[in-house]
Amino acid sequence: MGKIAQTEHPRILQLWRQGMHQRDIAARYDVSTITIYRIIRASNGGTTRGKHVPSPGYKMLWRLYITESYRQVDIAVRYGVSPTTVKRWLGKAGIVKSWEQRVHERRKVQPPDEDTLYTLYILDDLTAKVIGSRYGVSQSVVYRWLDEAELKKHKEATG
């Protein structure tokens, strides 16, 4: 990971204001997300201790957090507050992501459809390890896909 020159800060702020996620900016500059967070926060007047920032309201929080999949830290920077404050706002508004929503956000590889899984696993008799290598995922991820598709594993089908 590298450092970011002070001369790059305006460009980082511009990218962020154009809607680029902090994690993507961090990847572009090969720094941590917290480094980007600190640059953006510093541009928003630094610390927010001692001043009250009202919640943006249920509809806006829902739109940012659920609909647009902003992370809590992204919302925090947008409003110049800490991620803990955003967590408190979400809690008071009763906005919580389900386990499925959180898993779906992290899932980078879309699972194949049920027919493809059936063909690969049952008809072609490929192992979960082979299927995983084709999709760039681990064997355990393939087993999870098979469970979600309600396909029997080899041992269960024969045993």
Side-chain angles (χ1 to χ4, degrees):
M1 295 234 176
K3 291 185 84 170
I4 298 178
Q6 190 78 23
T7 56
E8 290 294 320
H9 290 199
R11 177 70 181 137
I12 289 168
L13 294 170
Q14 180 184 22
L15 292 170
W16 177 72
R17 288 186 182 115
Q18 290 172 348
M20 184 179 258
H21 285 280
Q22 293 176 34
R23 66 180 169 269
D24 298 329
I25 298 170
R28 179 180 283 192
Y29 285 91
D30 192 31
V31 295
S32 68
T33 305
I34 196 69
T35 299
I36 301 301
Y37 170 82
R38 288 177 180 147
I39 290 169
I40 295 168
R41 183 149 180 176
S43 75
N44 286 338
T47 184
T48 59
R49 291 177 199 226
K51 72 178 176 183
H52 174 73
V53 178
S55 168
Y58 178 86
K59 286 183 180 180
M60 179 58 79
L61 286 171
W62 182 272
R63 183 176 68 80
L64 293 173
Y65 192 58
I66 302 296
T67 306
E68 296 182 19
S69 296
Y70 275 64
R71 294 173 307 143
Q72 290 179 15
V73 69
D74 296 329
I75 298 170
V77 170
R78 183 179 192 138
Y79 288 97
V81 298
S82 73
T84 304
T85 299
V86 173
K87 185 175 183 177
R88 182 174 39 81
W89 288 347
L90 292 167
K92 284 185 176 182
I95 300 172
V96 181
K97 287 188 181 178
S98 67
W99 179 84
E100 290 84 9
Q101 287 171 313
R102 291 191 308 266
V103 168
H104 178 71
E105 285 179 357
R106 280 182 255 166
R107 186 177 280 169
K108 292 184 172 81
V109 177
Q110 289 297 96
D113 59 57
E114 289 184 19
D115 292 336
T116 304
L117 270 176
Y118 180 82
T119 300
L120 293 171
Y121 196 64
I122 305 297
L123 299 179
D124 294 346
D125 200 33
L126 297 178
T127 65
K129 187 173 186 175
V130 171
I131 296 170
S133 67
R134 285 189 180 183
Y135 285 89
V137 298
S138 69
Q139 184 175 339
S140 63
V141 169
V142 174
Y143 282 129
R144 185 170 12 102
W145 291 347
L146 293 167
D147 286 342
E148 289 171 0
E150 298 180 357
L151 292 174
K152 298 287 183 196
K153 294 181 176 64
H154 286 292
K155 293 177 185 173
E156 296 171 2
T158 59

